[in-house]
């Protein structure tokens, strides 16, 4: 299908909008248009806690190094982000949370300059009956206010890394809004556990939500957001829970036993205008690849009936059989099959990297999805 508006990548978008958004593809590129995060190594969390012990953090810079290496080896070029996500970040996150995050490291150093060598963890949270409307003066208390767990260490370059990642997500969405068939945001830290006003699960800014909101702002009436990370994308679900313009669908480990534990059940179907626009497909730990692909069919059927204008994929690769903190059983070949199935939805697609902790296999698994899609 040919639409003149999308053959000119930098043509003003209003032309596309007037003609109707997403009338066809700009053409099948042999390679995946990939935006990388040039600042991701500034976020280098040292430790996390596991059963009472301090262990090296699973979410490490090497993860993205492996993906970038595999992309290059398989002929995919890496492009620097070229869009400022700040206006969209303000649409999906609360102003006071963004203000906190942006200066959190300076606040930590203000407590004691020696903190430069230490990474802060929250230790107290405003759970039920406690107030979260008043910002405490104590930094660690504020850190708890804006956190869902103590598993999300912050480093000197965390804000810069997270912001550049959101810029990469917005850049990928911008290209897709301009007519590219697909784009990949290759970033860390991940984003799908970050809610409007909290960090958690290694996530600070919700990159997938930024991509979806960007597409909404630039001509897409309905955006489907499919989360295939092993862990439920609680942050993304909560951001869009009362909205019908973004359908959230997720396949993940059953929260009765798997992180993030407190969201991701099948009976969470949306609220208010968003009623019916949230689909959770929790599967027990140990679920086979065959059963996982059945759930993928369910998700794809819902996305098809939604008649989305565009798709955002929260691309976690931790459903992999070799993942050290997850318990599904997809093989590297299954990730190629996943990409192929997503291509059959026939939607312009933004892929956003989320989890996946078998670092050495992460590149193969991620690029298999992209090439299975036809990148
Ligand atoms: C982030 B993403 C393991 C602790 C697990 C949280 C896992 C966050 C996963 N020792 N902590 O969805 O891949
Ligand atoms: Zn995950």
């Amino acid at each position: 299908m040919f639409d003149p508006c999308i053959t000119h990548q930098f043509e003003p978008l209003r032309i596309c909008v007037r003609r109707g958004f997403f009338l066809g593809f700009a053409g099948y590129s042999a390679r995946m248009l990939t935006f990388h995060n040039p600042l991701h190594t500034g976020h280098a969390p040292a430790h996390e806690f596991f059963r009472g012990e301090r262990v090296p953090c699973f979410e490490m810079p090497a993860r993205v190094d492996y993906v970038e290496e595999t992309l290059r080896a398989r002929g995919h070029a890496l492009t620097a982000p070229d869009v400022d996500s700040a206006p969209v970040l303000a649409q999906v996150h609360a102003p006071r949370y963004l203000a906190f995050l942006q200066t959190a490291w300076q606040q930590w150093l203000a407590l004691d300059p020696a903190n430069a060598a230490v990474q802060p963890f929250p230790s107290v949270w405003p759970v039920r009956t406690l107030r979260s409307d008043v910002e405490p003066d104590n930094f660690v208390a504020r850190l708890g206010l804006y956190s869902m767990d103590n598993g999300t260490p912050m480093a000197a370059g965390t804000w810069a890394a997270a912001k550049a990642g959101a810029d990469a997500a917005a850049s990928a969405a911008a290209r897709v809004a301009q007519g590219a068939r697909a784009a990949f945001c290759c970033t860390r830290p991940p984003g799908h556990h970050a809610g409007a006003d909290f960090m958690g699960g290694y996530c600070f800014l919700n990159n997938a939500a930024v991509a979806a909101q960007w597409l909404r702002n630039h001509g897409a009436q309905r955006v489907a957001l499919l989360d295939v990370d092993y862990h439920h994308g609680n942050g993304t679900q909560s951001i869009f829970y009362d909205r019908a313009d973004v359908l959230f669908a997720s396949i993940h480990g059953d929260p009765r036993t798997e992180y993030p534990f407190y969201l991701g059940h099948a009976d969470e179907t949306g609220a208010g205008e968003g009623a019916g626009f949230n689909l959770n497909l929790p599967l027990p730990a140990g679920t086979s690849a065959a059963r996982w692909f059945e759930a993928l069919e369910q998700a794809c059927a819902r996305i098809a009936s939604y008649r989305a204008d565009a798709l955002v994929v929260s691309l976690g690769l931790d459903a992999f059989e070799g993942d050290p903190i997850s318990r599904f059983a997809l093989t590297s070949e299954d990730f190629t099959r996943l990409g192929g199935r997503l291509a059959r939805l026939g939607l312009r697609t933004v892929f956003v990297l989320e989890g996946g902790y078998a670092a050495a296999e992460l590149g193969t698994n991620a690029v298999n999805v992209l090439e299975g899609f036809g990148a």
Side-chain angles (χ1 to χ4, degrees), residues 196-218:
D197 64 357
F198 59 86
M199 64 179 92
Y202 313 142
C203 302
F204 300 87
L205 296 175
N206 197 312
N207 304 310
V210 165
Q213 186 63 51
W214 182 282
L215 292 164
R216 282 287 296 111
N217 293 354
H218 294 87

Side-chain angles (χ1 to χ4, degrees), residues 291-324:
R291 175 70 188 92
W292 192 93
F293 276 97
E294 285 175 20
L296 180 65
E297 280 314 308
Q298 278 181 268
C300 288
R302 179 67 188 97
I303 290 167
S305 70
Y306 180 62
R307 294 182 302 109
D309 296 314
L311 174 67
V312 175
V313 180
S314 262
L315 185 60
L317 290 309
D318 40 12
F320 180 52
E321 57 183 353
D323 196 90

Side-chain angles (χ1 to χ4, degrees), residues 18-36:
R18 212 186 314 122
R19 289 177 174 276
F21 193 61
F22 294 160
L23 292 175
F25 295 136
Y28 286 71
S29 154
R31 307 287 82 178
M32 178 60 74
L33 176 61
T34 296
F35 290 92
H36 71 113

Side-chain angles (χ1 to χ4, degrees), residues 106-321:
Q106 290 100 290
Q107 297 175 49
W108 175 235
L109 295 188
L111 282 183
D112 181 348
N115 279 348
V118 192
Q119 294 177 348
F121 286 89
S123 53
V124 58
W125 292 268
V127 298
R128 294 157 300 282
T129 75
L130 302 180
R131 284 179 66 175
S132 50
D133 59 321
V134 184
E135 260 200 352
D137 292 335
N138 180 290
F139 171 75
V140 175
R142 274 201 304 284
L143 188 61
L145 171 62
Y146 293 119
S147 297
M148 65 175 279
D149 66 9
N150 80 333
T152 312
M154 189 182 278
T158 294
W159 166 259
K163 172 62 167 59
D167 290 349
S171 302
R175 289 300 185 90
V176 167
Q178 287 164 349
R181 175 179 175 240
F184 174 44
C185 168
C186 179
T187 192
R188 56 167 293 282
H192 72 152
H193 296 300
D197 64 357
F198 59 86
M199 64 179 92
Y202 313 142
C203 302
F204 300 87
L205 296 175
N206 197 312
N207 304 310
V210 165
Q213 186 63 51
W214 182 282
L215 292 164
R216 282 287 296 111
N217 293 354
H218 294 87
Q221 295 302 307
R222 285 178 302 280
V223 175
L225 203 164
L226 174 65
D227 190 324
V228 298
D229 187 283
Y230 180 80
H231 305 94
H232 176 251
N234 62 283
T236 315
Q237 169 172 312
S238 62
I239 287 169
F240 296 115
Y241 203 63
D242 59 2
R243 289 171 52 171
D245 60 331
V246 178
L247 169 74
F248 180 72
S250 178
I251 306 166
H252 51 268
D254 191 325
R256 285 175 176 81
T257 62
E258 306 309 294
Y259 187 90
F261 306 117
Y262 309 113
L263 209 68
H265 301 283
D267 66 352
E268 298 155 14
T269 56
E273 289 188 0
F277 297 95
N278 195 88
L279 175 64
N280 281 330
L281 298 165
L283 299 170
T287 289
S288 68
R291 175 70 188 92
W292 192 93
F293 276 97
E294 285 175 20
L296 180 65
E297 280 314 308
Q298 278 181 268
C300 288
R302 179 67 188 97
I303 290 167
S305 70
Y306 180 62
R307 294 182 302 109
D309 296 314
L311 174 67
V312 175
V313 180
S314 262
L315 185 60
L317 290 309
D318 40 12
F320 180 52
E321 57 183 353

Side-chain angles (χ1 to χ4, degrees), residues 321-339:
E321 57 183 353
D323 196 90
I325 64 169
S326 311
R327 293 188 282 167
F328 284 165
L330 269 63
T331 63
S332 294
E333 293 69 43
D334 286 328
F335 286 108
T336 308
R337 178 179 168 195
L338 166 60

